[in-house]
Structures are given as structure tokens and as C-alpha cells.
Amino acid sequence: MDGIMFDIAIIVGITTLTVLHLFFGWKAFSSRSIISVGSRSRWITLSLLLGPVGYYFYLGIIPCDLVADE
């Protein structure tokens, strides 16, 4: 019985982490910031791979005058 609960916990954790990464990838994709397609692609990729860490890391690199209100 403990093995089943452990498996469910792993599945829930992986699913939650995947949804989190997809959410931040979508935020980067749908952002109104005025940046090039290449920069947006890097931002989306980092957001998908690293989740919120990648999203906010790349957001910190974008010049402030190009960032729309997020």
C-alpha cells in the first residue's frame, strides 16, 4: 500500500511541475513586451526548461523600457 501512495505522490509532483513550467512558458509566449522573435524564443525556451527561474532570469535581462506591465 505504501508503494501505491509513493507512486501517486510522484505522479502528482511531476504533473504539478509540468503544469508550472507550461504556465511560465505561456506567460513568456503571450507577453506584450516588445522584443525580437529570437529573444522571445529564448525566453519561452528558458521558461519551459527552468520554469519560474528561467522566466524571471530572462525578464531581468530584457531592458526595462521594452518590458510591458506584467
Side-chain angles (χ1 to χ4, degrees):
M1 193 67 166
D2 290 332
I4 293 173
M5 293 304 288
F6 182 70
D7 292 341
I8 291 172
I10 289 175
I11 291 170
V12 168
I14 289 173
T15 302
T16 304
L17 192 59
T18 301
V19 168
L20 181 71
H21 285 234
L22 289 173
F23 174 73
F24 278 97
W26 179 254
K27 276 186 72 167
F29 177 76
S30 62
S31 172
R32 293 179 287 140
S33 299
I34 305 166
I35 56 176
S36 69
V37 175
S39 292
R40 186 171 305 275
S41 297
R42 281 189 294 277
W43 191 14
I44 293 168
T45 302
L46 279 175
S47 298
L48 287 172
L49 294 176
L50 302 175
V53 173
Y55 177 84
Y56 289 114
F57 171 77
Y58 203 81
L59 186 62
I61 293 174
I62 300 172
C64 291
D65 55 335
L66 300 178
V67 176
D69 292 333
E70 297 293 327

